[in-house]
Amino acid sequence: MILSVHACLFLLSLHVFGSNNVYIVYMGDRQHDEAHRVQDLHHQILSDILGSKEAAKKSILYSYKHGFSGFAAVLTQSQAKLIAGRPGVVRIFPNKILSLHTTRSWDFLGVKPHVVDGILSKSKSGTGSIIGVIDTGIWPESESFSDNGMREIPSRWKGICQEGEGFNKSNCNR
């Protein structure tokens, strides 16, 4: 039986990470001005939990050591709970992968960056703005899904128009 590349990668990730997940450990302000000392602290915390410096270096994915102190690491839920109880740890939370909602926000909002007297210059590029999100759901008639002015669909695109309840092929566009 031949497995697809995606299936192989998925099975490999299950084997490598098992029940582990990526967690972000936030430790607040940096305690040291030298980035390598901040990273050493991160390795030490992980070493205490995982048993060795080598295991810590394998687990850690990224050290946040410039603007604040923290790190991302592959941990089990019980390891994450142990780290959460350590002095100096402000908060620990699972990493989330977020999806892009639109690729045409500037067009949808009518923002023209090259206009000297436009909204960007008048608003000082949003300095001091507070952004709020009101999710009213989606519907095909929404302006944000308009395909006016878009080029034809590239021939290399292999997607489909997925029909569903209250949504048929006539609702699909470019």
Side-chain angles (χ1 to χ4, degrees):
M1 180 173 143
I2 298 175
L3 292 173
S4 72
V5 173
H6 293 287
C8 289
L9 289 174
F10 174 73
L11 292 173
L12 178 63
S13 70
L14 286 178
H15 174 71
V16 171
F17 294 117
S19 62
N20 298 346
N21 292 302
V22 176
Y23 287 87
I24 308 295
V25 179
Y26 175 62
M27 301 178 67
D29 292 336
R30 291 178 297 138
Q31 302 300 313
H32 307 286
D33 287 332
E34 294 126 18
H36 72 277
R37 291 186 66 200
V38 176
Q39 189 169 16
D40 288 345
L41 173 64
H42 300 161
H43 285 139
Q44 186 59 52
I45 290 171
L46 279 172
S47 294
D48 293 348
I49 300 297
L50 302 178
S52 73
K53 202 100 164 164
E54 293 77 31
K57 287 183 178 181
K58 284 182 182 176
S59 172
I60 201 162
L61 300 174
Y62 189 80
S63 275
Y64 304 96
K65 53 190 179 270
H66 298 288
F68 61 92
S69 179
F71 58 90
V74 177
L75 303 166
T76 64
Q77 189 174 14
S78 60
Q79 291 166 336
K81 285 181 183 177
L82 287 172
I83 291 174
R86 299 276 311 218
V89 173
V90 176
R91 186 161 179 239
I92 183 166
F93 49 93
N95 185 47
K96 292 181 187 173
I97 297 177
L98 303 174
S99 299
L100 184 65
H101 290 277
T102 180
T103 57
R104 301 182 67 214
S105 295
W106 294 111
D107 296 336
F108 175 67
L109 295 172
V111 175
K112 308 281 188 251
H114 60 278
V115 177
V116 177
D117 199 26
I119 192 169
L120 282 180
S121 61
K122 287 180 180 178
S123 69
K124 297 182 180 135
S125 295
T127 302
S129 296
I130 298 173
I131 306 297
V133 176
I134 300 172
D135 184 354
T136 61
I138 62 169
W139 63 96
E141 300 81 16
S142 172
E143 282 185 54
S144 63
F145 296 111
S146 171
D147 62 357
N148 291 337
M150 291 184 71
R151 291 183 235 134
E152 292 299 315
I153 298 171
S155 60
R156 65 184 179 279
W157 187 71
K158 303 296 182 208
I160 62 166
C161 175
Q162 182 70 50
E163 293 184 88
E165 187 178 324
F167 189 93
N168 59 39
K169 287 192 185 228
S170 68
N171 296 121
C172 291
N173 60 20
R174 290 182 286 238

